[in-house]
Amino acid sequence: MSLEHAPTAPLITSPEHAPSTPPITSPEHAPATPPRLSSSLPDNISTGPTPSRSAVSTLQSSSFTIASMQDLMLRDFRDRQRYDIDGFFDTFLLPDNSVLFDSMVTHVLEQSAQLTMWQQPRSAMATQKDAQVWFAPCLTQMAKLGIGFLESEIGLEGLTIGDRIDDELYVQPCSTAEMWLSLLRQRSWRWVGDQLPGDGRGRGRADLVLTASASTRPGWWNTAVIGEHKSDRAGDGERHALTAQVARYVSEVFAAQDFRHFVHAFSIRRRRIRLYLFDRCGVMGSTELDIDVAGSGGRRQFVRAMLAYMVMEQTRFGFDPEVFADPVRKNRPLLAAEVDPETGEWRATEGRDIAPTFFVCIDSHWFQLVRRIVTRLGIVCRGTRCYIAVPVADQDGQKHEEPGECLVKLSWRWLRMRPEGAWLAEVHAGTPVPNLVSLIAHDERQQVGREIRRRMACVAPVQGEGPGTEEDWDRVFTRTVLREVGHRLERVKNALSLCQVIRDVVVAHSILYFQKRCTHRDISTGNILIQHTNNTTSGLLIDLDFARHNSSQAPRSGAPNKTGTLPFMAISILERDDTEHRYRHDIESFFYVLLWTCIYDENVVAKASMPISNPHTVRDQLRCEDIRDPLLYWRKGLPENVAASKRRIIEMDERFESLLMLRRTGFEGEVMGRVLRRLREGVFMEVVDGCLEGRLAVLYSVMREREIRRENEREGELRDFIVEVLEQAVKEMDKECSVDAAQ
């Protein structure tokens, strides 16, 4: 429902609390030599599928304050928080070898009973500075005691991680004690004292992070666990605000780390600690533990939790267990890898010459992920990611017949929604739909309720406004491989190419609706791609995640009524939750796509330079709609305010004409202006006896009964009108280009 971009996650700098040692991986798999790519890939980049419906996904640049961002986090987590869950630790943190682990915990508690880590007064955690002085040495002491126990347990005090490494990237299997010993030596708790470096979005910083290695600089890309301290002044009523604060950092981890399914975190308030697990359905929390009372059980649980984080294997951290370093030997890759923000390719970590490689097997076909091109900001959302990929051979030498590059899309769809792969297989059956993305393979993997939350009935979100069944809140991890790869629509260079692309996509959309009986319901710049083939430009429609059958007798797709990408949603959909999404609403979205693309290029994020202290007020809305960024509020406002902004553009000729004057280079011609004017009149205004009847006689918003009866006829007329306007514009602009070339 909201516009999202692919943010580059910032990195962190912090004081070092651990010795400098080589990076660590999950040391349970053998080394691998990944296959070489058969060919280089062209620089085709797609914006991928539709953005998710997360409120946080509306955030871009630094135009929202920290307080505003936390407000949006609370909106995302409304009815999606559960606390005081019994058995939280045993379900989500307890290692597989529980006997060895509990023996190590007992050893640490016995050896540390008389140490200064438990002798500090209760006020030692009252402020953040006090917490830093106490907490970092406390965790360091735990790690040293754990290392001593494991060394005596395996009888190899000289063991180092190098004894188990064949090459620079991958680790051979070893015993549980050896693996834990390696992890305790290599992982590092960092108390972050400075602003996280990176792309400069200014999202704040976490207080404490557990990183995969002490030798690499800490960053969101290699953060395994997040800790947040709250001062003693915070009361019990601050619980939700504290959760939102932790969630801000968790969203950065999700954005920076590929293949992360859930994230562990904890909060500290004086000497009381609460553990969290964030996934795509919300957040779960343990009971609050008092670590100041030795006999209360809280101290033991605290030590268990911190040690569990330090020896946790990568799948329990939330990393995808089906991403491999080699399709032949099926070795798992590094715990995390940093992405180059310019190219989207994975970087070699510090001190290494080889960048990590990632392979996935989808529907029995192997693909190498070459670079990331889309990632979505947010937690309670689909978390869509898209990658340029190439088919590779498996262990039997079998390779998918598809040549060249393709697109791999990973997302968390609602359980009640129909998979996009099933839609594409259906609509392309028989006569394929031209200019609509086609399917190579798709499958489904983890389900939040069943796999991540382990079927615990107590961790289903609190029932909200709708039904409280599993299908209403649960999500399933869906993987889809698409054949076509194209350029983002914002990369279009001139009005002629834009009209060609939109014409092709409108035709594909009409075939989808009138012949295949399927409504797209999420027309946006992100779901329209440009393809260049044999010196011709064409459009490509993608993303059927929110599609729905037209017929009322057809099975429901499970998608909600109010769907779409915020800047391009129809006015009536924005204003009313119960409006049924129809063909005419998608046509209205095409108009907004045209208008948007004429004004903004692919660097639209850079235009968001004006801070907004409170985006809900009318004054701030008017400030946004100025010459510097005339459609900023479409991206940052609430749905009802976005609808009001669009109404002003449709109602007021002066506002609309001033907007046309802000078109970017290549789109300021008279023909393009005439196209936008004709579409505004034809799409939004009722024509009676050749005259416009009223400024807000919008077909969608003031539909009368007589108009509803003629709905299908009107939809056909609307399609023909749009195509005719665009066809005529293409001919006129093509003729102008021919004249200019002849001169």
Side-chain angles (χ1 to χ4, degrees):
M1 187 181 92
S2 54
L3 178 66
E4 292 179 304
H5 292 266
T8 304
L11 305 175
I12 15 186
T13 57
S14 70
E16 300 291 328
H17 295 300
S20 178
T21 46
I24 185 69
T25 73
S26 177
E28 58 181 73
H29 300 282
T33 302
R36 297 177 63 87
L37 294 181
S38 58
S39 62
S40 59
L41 297 179
D43 187 25
N44 291 352
I45 295 185
S46 153
T47 50
T50 180
S52 71
R53 295 170 56 82
S54 166
V56 180
S57 64
T58 63
L59 299 176
Q60 302 168 22
S61 186
S62 57
S63 297
F64 275 87
T65 62
I66 295 297
S68 299
M69 189 173 182
Q70 289 188 185
D71 289 343
L72 291 177
M73 281 291 180
L74 288 174
R75 286 177 54 194
D76 270 359
F77 282 93
R78 184 182 61 182
D79 302 329
R80 294 294 181 264
Q81 306 178 55
R82 292 301 292 268
Y83 301 98
D84 303 325
I85 296 176
D86 293 332
F88 182 94
F89 177 90
D90 290 342
T91 302
F92 301 115
L93 275 76
L94 185 65
D96 293 333
N97 193 332
S98 58
V99 176
L100 177 63
F101 181 75
D102 283 336
S103 298
M104 181 170 63
V105 170
T106 300
H107 173 81
V108 170
L109 283 170
E110 290 175 350
Q111 295 297 315
S112 65
Q114 303 302 320
L115 298 180
T116 56
M117 59 183 287
W118 302 120
Q119 306 305 316
Q120 298 291 332
R122 191 172 182 84
S123 60
M125 295 284 281
T127 67
Q128 188 176 83
K129 184 177 180 180
D130 293 334
Q132 179 178 354
V133 171
W134 180 86
F135 209 75
C138 176
L139 296 178
T140 301
Q141 190 69 46
M142 284 187 202
K144 289 181 178 179
L145 292 172
I147 289 172
F149 170 81
L150 293 171
E151 286 178 342
S152 62
E153 185 74 16
I154 61 180
L156 292 174
E157 297 187 8
L159 180 74
T160 65
I161 188 64
D163 295 325
R164 290 292 173 181
I165 292 183
D166 268 3
D167 59 22
E168 288 193 324
L169 286 181
Y170 307 112
V171 180
Q172 290 182 340
C174 55
S175 70
T176 300
E178 290 175 325
M179 180 183 73
W180 289 359
L181 179 58
S182 299
L183 294 175
L184 280 172
R185 285 175 169 175
Q186 301 304 310
R187 289 178 177 169
S188 172
W189 287 101
R190 316 284 187 91
W191 195 278
V192 182
D194 300 312
Q195 178 66 48
L196 309 185
D199 64 357
R201 283 181 295 165
R203 301 293 189 214
R205 54 178 173 80
D207 292 329
L208 187 70
V209 296
L210 175 65
T211 59
S213 171
S215 64
T216 59
R217 71 188 188 282
W220 292 127
W221 67 274
N222 66 354
T223 292
V225 181
I226 294 172
E228 179 67 16
H229 175 265
K230 201 71 173 178
S231 69
D232 191 42
R233 293 185 297 273
D236 293 334
E238 294 285 332
R239 185 180 67 181
H240 294 302
L242 178 58
T243 302
Q245 188 173 355
V246 176
R248 286 198 290 116
Y249 312 136
V250 171
S251 69
E252 296 285 2
V253 172
F254 272 125
Q257 296 184 13
D258 299 276
F259 327 121
R260 192 76 184 259
H261 289 181
F262 54 89
V263 177
H264 288 279
F266 62 90
S267 62
I268 314 161
R269 194 155 55 92
R270 187 173 275 202
R271 289 206 182 187
R272 299 182 68 85
I273 186 171
R274 187 189 299 276
L275 312 177
Y276 302 95
L277 187 141
F278 289 81
D279 57 31
R280 294 300 182 179
C281 289
V283 58
M284 298 169 290
S286 69
T287 55
E288 202 170 36
L289 308 174
D290 190 336
I291 63 178
D292 199 45
V293 182
S296 65
R299 180 175 295 182
R300 181 178 182 84
Q301 287 293 75
F302 166 68
V303 173
R304 292 182 82 201
M306 296 301 106
L307 286 175
Y309 289 143
M310 287 186 242
V311 302
M312 189 173 286
E313 173 276 320
Q314 65 178 10
T315 57
R316 283 190 173 265
F317 270 138
F319 286 89
D320 190 340
E322 296 186 84
V323 177
F324 303 98
D326 181 5
V328 177
R329 302 179 67 176
K330 294 187 178 180
N331 294 31
R332 292 183 189 170
L334 288 168
L335 184 68
E338 187 176 9
V339 174
D340 188 317
E342 298 297 328
T343 65
E345 298 176 350
W346 289 279
R347 291 171 170 168
T349 55
E350 294 178 10
R352 304 194 181 279
D353 299 327
I354 306 173
T357 55
F358 299 98
F359 296 84
V360 293
C361 182
I362 301 176
D363 194 20
S364 302
H365 302 299
W366 282 93
F367 302 90
Q368 179 178 0
L369 306 180
V370 179
R371 65 179 181 271
R372 185 176 75 189
I373 58 176
V374 169
T375 184
R376 303 302 187 190
L377 182 64
I379 301 175
V380 185
C381 62
R382 287 183 296 164
T384 302
R385 295 180 186 270
C386 292
Y387 304 86
I388 298 295
V390 291
V392 295
D394 59 15
Q395 60 266 37
D396 299 323
Q398 300 296 318
K399 182 177 179 180
H400 196 274
E401 65 275 8
E402 294 294 331
E405 72 276 5
C406 54
L407 187 139
V408 171
K409 170 186 172 183
L410 311 177
S411 65
W412 292 87
R413 69 171 179 85
W414 279 336
L415 185 61
R416 61 192 173 108
M417 290 176 62
R418 191 181 187 195
E420 181 184 19
W423 276 115
L424 291 173
E426 176 183 324
V427 300
H428 281 300
T431 304
V433 179
N435 300 108
L436 176 68
V437 68
S438 55
L439 179 71
I440 294 179
H442 77 106
D443 62 15
E444 296 178 357
R445 283 299 182 261
Q446 279 192 323
Q447 185 176 324
V448 173
R450 293 181 180 178
E451 281 82 19
I452 296 179
R453 300 194 175 191
R454 318 288 174 85
R455 294 180 177 271
M456 293 179 65
C458 64
V459 298
V462 178
Q463 181 172 332
E465 299 175 357
T469 64
E470 179 184 51
E471 290 189 349
D472 290 306
W473 65 265
D474 206 355
R475 292 180 183 267
V476 59
F477 185 55
T478 305
R479 308 187 300 178
T480 309
V481 186
L482 305 174
R483 184 170 284 105
E484 294 82 6
V485 177
H487 297 282
R488 292 196 293 259
L489 182 62
E490 291 93 339
R491 288 191 171 189
V492 66
K493 299 300 183 183
N494 53 62
L496 172 59
S497 298
L498 176 61
C499 289
Q500 290 173 329
V501 168
I502 300 300
R503 175 202 60 193
D504 293 343
V505 173
V506 168
V507 171
H509 178 270
S510 64
I511 294 174
L512 195 66
Y513 180 82
F514 291 104
Q515 297 182 20
K516 303 296 183 176
R517 311 305 300 168
C518 172
T519 309
H520 188 282
R521 305 195 327 141
D522 191 14
I523 299 299
S524 68
T525 57
N527 291 334
I528 300 173
L529 303 184
I530 311 168
Q531 287 192 307
H532 299 292
T533 308
N534 299 326
N535 296 324
T536 62
T537 300
S538 59
L540 182 70
L541 182 63
I542 66 172
D543 194 353
L544 297 184
D545 277 341
F546 285 133
R548 180 178 284 181
H549 279 290
N550 299 348
S551 172
S552 58
Q553 284 75 36
R556 301 287 286 180
S557 69
N561 284 325
K562 196 167 189 174
T563 63
T565 305
L566 193 62
F568 312 105
M569 291 172 64
I571 293 174
S572 59
I573 297 294
L574 290 167
E575 291 179 332
R576 297 184 58 182
D577 292 338
D578 59 349
T579 301
E580 182 180 358
H581 200 118
R582 301 288 298 179
Y583 179 81
R584 57 183 176 267
H585 299 122
D586 281 355
I587 291 297
E588 183 176 343
S589 296
F590 276 119
F591 172 78
Y592 298 135
V593 166
L594 273 169
L595 186 60
W596 179 279
T597 309
C598 286
I599 295 174
Y600 293 130
D601 58 16
E602 60 181 326
N603 298 315
V604 61
V605 180
K607 292 179 177 290
S609 58
M610 182 173 51
I612 305 174
S613 59
N614 180 3
H616 302 167
T617 66
V618 175
R619 186 178 71 175
D620 281 329
Q621 178 172 339
L622 294 176
R623 284 175 51 210
C624 294
E625 295 176 343
D626 67 2
I627 192 171
R628 288 173 291 180
D629 198 352
L631 300 181
L632 174 62
Y633 208 74
W634 288 19
R635 294 185 277 120
K636 295 188 178 295
L638 298 174
E640 57 270 23
N641 295 334
V642 176
S645 175
K646 290 179 176 179
R647 280 186 176 275
R648 283 194 295 275
I649 293 173
I650 300 307
E651 290 181 33
M652 302 169 60
D653 289 340
E654 182 179 356
R655 177 65 65 91
F656 181 72
E657 291 298 328
S658 65
L659 202 58
L660 295 188
M661 295 176 64
L662 300 177
R663 286 174 287 163
R664 58 190 172 111
T665 303
F667 300 84
E668 67 274 67
E670 178 56 34
V671 177
M672 193 68 236
R674 190 160 58 247
V675 167
L676 293 170
R677 292 184 185 95
R678 289 190 62 190
L679 292 181
R680 173 176 173 252
E681 295 175 0
V683 171
F684 292 95
M685 299 179 183
E686 191 73 16
V687 179
V688 179
D689 297 330
C691 300
L692 294 177
E693 184 183 78
R695 281 304 182 197
L696 206 58
V698 182
L699 177 63
Y700 331 115
S701 303
V702 294
M703 187 72 76
R704 302 182 182 89
E705 288 299 323
R706 63 179 178 83
E707 293 171 334
I708 295 176
R709 289 193 295 269
R710 295 183 55 204
E711 185 172 352
N712 291 335
E713 179 183 348
R714 285 177 173 274
E715 287 171 343
E717 294 173 356
L718 198 56
R719 171 201 59 194
D720 295 340
F721 170 74
I722 298 289
V723 173
E724 178 187 351
V725 170
L726 294 172
E727 282 279 13
Q728 184 177 348
V730 169
K731 291 178 181 179
E732 291 183 24
M733 286 185 279
D734 195 35
K735 184 177 179 180
E736 289 180 357
C737 292
S738 300
V739 172
D740 293 340
Q743 293 177 349

